[in-house]
Amino acid sequence: EVQLVQSGAEVKKPGESLKISCKGSGYSFTSYWIGWVRQMPGKGLEWMGIIYPGDSDTRYSPSFQGQVTISADKSISTAYLQWSSLKASDTAMYYCARLSATSYIWGQGTLVTVSS
Amino acid sequence: QPVLTQSSSASASLGSSVKLTCTLSSGHSSYIIAWHQQQPGKAPRYLMKLEGSGSYNKGSGVPDRFSGSSSGADRYLTISNLQSEDEADYYCETWDSNTRVFGGGTKLTVL
């Protein structure tokens, strides 16, 4: 079965760093783009950026360029979304998704709460 | 970059049909889009990719009640024989070589 499994919920303080993960299984991890999507409380979906694990080609949406880092470790079929200094406004659900010409596979989501 | 416009809400009765609309911005009317469904408290689910020609490819397990069509810059998602589980947010999405964008989403209420 093709699936993406994301890491668990996180509660952090402003200024802290964080790295959440998205592990792919059931397919060739290096052959598909993986993207990250933010959903703030009660709001819609926003693309943050995408990465091609095969060669680590990474593209960021303008709103998120410089705010987060997307990476991947193909040896363990895992993509990451990372913050160096969290803000309260980073509180959201974050989803990863495998992109392909014929379908998408979504992860189950990781809730990040940033509060002092 | 392309922009997608969706109505914020829609409603229809159980067992009836509803047609949701996603409109591509000027200069992007030929773009392929994808439709995604997000039921309350759940992760999004891919429904289909829809071309400007009206041709569409559904994801695995998506019921036959879901279909797509196109007219100019408009992309449609039609749900027939509405069920209670169809009450959800529906997002369209498109992309080019530099960016990916979602529409604002349509909240569908099944009466």
Side-chain angles (χ1 to χ4, degrees):
Chain A
E1 178 192 8
V2 176
Q3 61 178 350
L4 297 176
V5 177
Q6 297 185 229
S7 50
E10 301 275 0
V11 179
K12 292 288 190 179
K13 290 181 167 37
E16 292 186 331
S17 63
L18 176 64
K19 192 173 189 177
I20 63 175
S21 66
C22 169
K23 183 174 175 61
S25 62
Y27 72 98
S28 174
F29 184 73
T30 55
S31 300
Y32 294 85
W33 289 87
I34 287 189
W36 286 96
V37 173
R38 183 176 77 174
Q39 187 169 40
M40 298 178 76
K43 302 298 184 183
L45 305 175
E46 302 174 86
W47 276 109
M48 301 177 72
I50 57 175
I51 186 166
Y52 190 74
D55 60 6
S56 293
D57 182 7
T58 307
R59 303 174 190 184
Y60 294 92
S61 295
S63 299
F64 294 94
Q65 180 81 49
Q67 307 304 307
V68 297
T69 301
I70 293 171
S71 61
D73 184 341
K74 57 187 178 183
S75 70
I76 54 172
S77 300
T78 301
Y80 300 98
L81 177 64
Q82 182 175 4
W83 295 261
S84 59
S85 181
L86 286 160
K87 302 185 280 287
S89 57
D90 293 318
T91 294
M93 182 71 83
Y94 293 89
Y95 296 100
C96 62
R98 189 199 81 167
L99 314 179
S100 80
T102 55
S103 70
Y104 292 33
I105 302 295
W106 288 88
Q108 85 276 17
T110 296
L111 180 63
V112 173
T113 303
V114 184
S115 175
S116 55
Chain B
Q1 73 176 39
V3 174
L4 298 169
T5 302
Q6 299 182 252
S7 298
S8 59
S9 65
S11 62
S13 299
L14 196 66
S16 70
S17 295
V18 68
K19 191 174 187 179
L20 307 182
T21 304
C22 172
T23 302
L24 287 150
S25 53
S26 178
H28 302 95
S29 61
S30 65
Y31 277 42
I32 298 170
I33 72 153
W35 283 103
H36 305 273
Q37 176 197 58
Q38 188 177 33
Q39 295 172 321
K42 293 190 174 183
R45 173 195 184 190
Y46 169 80
L47 293 178
M48 69 180 68
K49 282 190 179 177
L50 174 59
E51 298 180 15
S53 63
S55 173
Y56 60 94
N57 286 293
K58 293 196 294 188
S60 174
V62 176
D64 292 342
R65 303 184 292 105
F66 290 81
S67 62
S69 58
S70 297
S71 176
D74 291 331
R75 306 287 184 265
Y76 305 106
L77 174 68
T78 299
I79 313 171
S80 58
N81 187 22
L82 272 169
Q83 304 297 302
S84 57
E85 61 264 31
D86 299 331
E87 185 159 292
D89 294 323
Y90 291 85
Y91 295 91
C92 56
E93 179 219 355
T94 195
W95 56 90
D96 60 20
S97 58
N98 297 314
T99 192
R100 306 186 79 91
V101 294
F102 287 103
T106 297
K107 184 177 184 63
L108 174 64
T109 300
V110 178
L111 303 172

